[in-house]
Amino acid sequence: MSTSLVPEIEMVLQSEVSETRDARNNKCLKDEVKDNTISDHAFLQRQYELAQLDSTQKANWEMIKKLTVCGVAFLNDAYDMFAINIVAMILGFVYYHDAEGSAQNTVPKKWDTLIKIAVQIGCLLGQLVMGRLGDKIGRTAVYSASLMIAIVTTIASAFSNSMVKGFNVFIVLFIWRVLLGFGIGGDYPLTATIVSEYSSSKNRGKLMAGVFAWQGFGNVLAPIISIAVIACFASKIDGDVLYLDYVWRIIIGVGCIPGIATLYWRLTMTDSTRFLNSRAIVTPPSNTDSTDEEGKLLVDSGSMSASLRSSMSSPLDIPMDLQRQLHVKSFSQYFGEWRHLKVLLGTSIAWFALDVAFYGINLNSSVVIEAIGFAGNIREDKPSHFIIRNCLGSIIINILGSVPGYWITVFTIEKLGRKTIQLMGFGILTLLYTILGFAYSQILFKSTGAFIFLFSLAQLFQNFGPNVTTFVIPGEVFPTRFRSTAHGISAAAGKFGAIVAQGGLLLLVNIGGRNSWINHLLQIFAAFMFLGFLVTFWIPESKGKSLENICDESEEQQ
């Protein structure tokens, strides 16, 4: 809401108080009129608070703390998700060093797929469950729970081992990483809603994109930590490859350090005024069904923010048990309208399409590194040398494309707009994957450098494009009372795309020979990028608008 409306709202509030007092003095204010006056006052007071929030630009300690906690969350999540690409490589040396032929030092495809897909399965479930709980219980309480789950399961993953009878190390690791993914999954909808609801309309997109951009640091941190740990064991590893068993456990275990470092701050975070005021409007008393047939919800004085309670009780002297019915729509009623449903479909399908390519490539960067000849020879090179080369290749790819893409979005999202960046990103990615897919062999044969350039460009426009905006937009375009749930649904659709890529499409990569099907996968990725481009037209532009105006939330609650 514009700051110019603040004086207007104050005048209306003062006028309303005066009118109400006169009516009381004359003893002619009927109950129904009184109820309506109180309801209008509550609505106007809420609008006043939201206007003040949207006009706040000055940084403060609470904002810095929340942004740091949320940023570290995504660094941590990215590290946990993408470190498995390196760990899977190391597990091949540990458990298959004595295999013969092409199987030597390589994890079989079924186990490789299982441990890489585990976090995505857990994330999908966590995004749906934690997203819903974020609306029902509260953002920060569920946010803290998700981190504690992630810390415990990260440590447990590092101690995964084969049972004497029963599950092998890969199945045990899969189980723990599904649970880890459940904790990570909660970070997506809750981080987005916390930052969105705490920010002003002028810098909301920048702050949300900036928090998400820490994912790029996590992508780079995983291979850096891996190189450092391997360097410590290098002489022993080359003499006895089983020393790598220490290495992969340390790499995974390091993933709990950022979470532990920020746990106290996360536990002491408080919910935003915007969320508390939303709870005041939609929280019914215990004897009332919150989603009755008419969609009537009540204002509960007990769940109002402190400023709202004081403003209502002092000037108007309203009894605490007095409540007013407001006609706000339930989840099914709201999304039962096509104009709202198409937005949810747009955010969900766009995220699904993006993650088919994003995770298909990033969870299997070693395939691309091997295809361009950077990886070395897995059976002839020293284990430490081979792993370090792959880690260096991953760092180069991320620094050339991914990391800059995140930060270009941060500094342009408030100028270009979310929808513009997403359309541009999907459009360019469609073109780049089409070129890489149909001219794959010719480009690699003529110039490996040209292939690296085009691939890095694709990485750049994934992040200066839909990878960031598919996270930002669902945190803005849905009503406060459904925001976490709807963001969780959109994010879960993305993780389903990651599962489709890892559990389906990537199994095709070796058809006709090792990595022989990469060109066709890139062509399929191009088709998904075009799908994302099309459904983006269903999504509204949220640049510069208050959260209430984007989805007509203010109008609905009058």
Side-chain angles (χ1 to χ4, degrees), residues 274-538:
R274 178 173 271 115
F275 174 68
L276 293 175
N277 285 348
S278 175
R279 289 287 298 272
I281 287 180
V282 303
T283 303
S286 58
N287 62 345
T288 304
D289 186 358
S290 63
T291 55
D292 63 6
E293 291 182 358
E294 296 180 1
K296 293 179 180 178
L297 302 174
L298 301 180
V299 179
D300 181 1
S301 301
S303 62
M304 292 179 183
S305 67
S307 59
L308 183 53
R309 287 199 306 270
S310 62
S311 66
M312 289 184 66
S313 60
S314 178
L316 293 180
D317 194 25
I318 299 166
M320 289 298 291
D321 60 347
L322 185 57
Q323 297 171 342
R324 164 68 179 162
Q325 287 189 334
L326 293 177
H327 291 261
V328 293
K329 297 170 185 174
S330 65
F331 184 92
S332 58
Q333 289 171 330
Y334 184 84
F335 289 106
E337 298 178 21
W338 171 245
R339 66 190 179 113
H340 299 311
L341 178 61
K342 73 176 182 180
V343 177
L344 181 59
L345 290 175
T347 58
S348 300
I349 297 173
W351 208 333
F352 167 81
L354 179 275
D355 276 4
V356 169
F358 182 80
Y359 285 95
I361 289 173
N362 285 282
L363 280 178
N364 299 275
S365 57
S366 58
V367 173
V368 177
I369 293 168
E370 182 181 340
I372 62 178
F374 192 85
N377 191 306
I378 195 170
R379 283 173 290 281
E380 296 178 5
D381 291 349
K382 293 180 179 180
S384 61
H385 178 71
F386 179 84
I387 296 168
I388 287 175
R389 277 182 65 90
N390 275 271
C391 290
L392 288 173
S394 178
I395 292 171
I396 291 169
I397 288 173
N398 277 287
I399 289 178
L400 286 178
S402 293
V403 174
Y406 283 109
W407 292 98
I408 293 173
T409 302
V410 171
F411 293 113
T412 61
I413 194 167
E414 298 296 359
K415 295 178 181 178
L416 298 179
R418 293 74 157 142
K419 189 172 182 177
T420 300
I421 291 175
Q422 185 158 308
L423 285 170
M424 175 196 66
F426 272 130
I428 294 175
L429 287 170
T430 301
L431 179 63
L432 288 172
Y433 284 135
T434 299
I435 294 171
L436 287 170
F438 286 97
Y440 176 79
S441 300
Q442 296 91 322
I443 295 172
L444 270 182
F445 178 75
K446 291 184 178 180
S447 174
T448 301
F451 181 88
I452 294 173
F453 172 76
L454 290 173
F455 185 79
S456 298
L457 203 60
Q459 294 288 89
L460 175 73
F461 282 102
Q462 275 186 341
N463 295 301
F464 179 33
N467 189 41
V468 175
T469 56
T470 52
F471 170 80
V472 171
I473 293 171
E476 299 180 310
V477 296
F478 302 112
T480 302
R481 62 190 185 279
F482 307 139
R483 186 168 293 122
S484 182
T485 301
H487 194 288
I489 292 171
S490 302
K495 286 299 174 282
F496 181 66
I499 293 169
V500 168
Q502 186 63 44
L505 298 178
L506 266 296
L507 295 178
L508 308 175
V509 70
N510 293 324
I511 292 178
R514 189 170 181 83
N515 296 333
S516 296
W517 227 68
I518 288 182
N519 60 324
H520 298 301
L521 287 179
L522 292 169
Q523 293 164 14
I524 293 172
F525 293 161
F528 277 103
M529 295 304 98
F530 185 64
L531 173 62
F533 178 84
L534 294 178
V535 298
T536 299
F537 289 102
W538 289 349

Side-chain angles (χ1 to χ4, degrees), residues 77-99:
D77 294 347
Y79 180 93
D80 287 336
M81 283 192 287
F82 296 112
I84 196 63
N85 193 37
I86 299 166
V87 168
M89 189 191 317
I90 295 172
L91 288 172
F93 286 97
V94 174
Y95 292 97
Y96 295 93
H97 61 277
D98 54 356

Side-chain angles (χ1 to χ4, degrees), residues 241-255:
V241 74
L242 292 181
Y243 275 98
L244 280 170
D245 194 52
Y246 292 106
V247 172
W248 75 264
R249 297 178 190 278
I250 293 171
I251 291 171
I252 288 180
V254 167

Side-chain angles (χ1 to χ4, degrees), residues 109-238:
K109 193 64 182 177
K110 65 177 180 178
W111 299 128
D112 181 77
T113 299
L114 193 71
I115 60 176
K116 287 181 179 178
I117 206 173
V119 166
Q120 313 310 320
I121 294 172
C123 272
L124 188 154
L125 298 174
Q127 286 159 346
L128 293 173
V129 174
M130 296 295 207
R132 182 59 181 150
L133 291 177
D135 284 331
K136 297 292 287 184
I137 298 175
R139 316 308 199 203
T140 54
V142 181
Y143 198 42
S144 298
S146 69
L147 177 58
M148 289 187 280
I149 292 171
I151 291 172
V152 171
T153 52
T154 297
I155 295 171
S157 297
F159 287 97
S160 297
N161 219 327
S162 296
M163 297 179 179
V164 176
K165 287 186 178 180
F167 298 152
N168 65 20
V169 65
F170 297 101
I171 296 177
V172 174
L173 187 58
F174 168 80
I175 293 170
W176 283 119
R177 285 186 64 82
V178 168
L179 297 174
L180 168 62
F182 189 86
I184 291 174
D187 282 347
Y188 281 76
L190 294 167
T191 299
T193 52
I194 287 170
V195 177
S196 173
E197 291 168 1
Y198 194 79
S199 307
S200 74
S201 56
K202 294 182 179 179
N203 64 10
R204 186 178 59 242
K206 181 188 294 185
L207 294 180
M208 293 179 73
V211 163
F212 192 69
W214 284 59
Q215 189 182 74
F217 295 142
N219 291 349
V220 174
L221 185 62
I224 289 175
I225 294 294
S226 300
I227 290 173
V229 176
I230 290 169
C232 294
F233 288 86
S235 59
K236 293 183 177 180
I237 290 170
D238 294 335

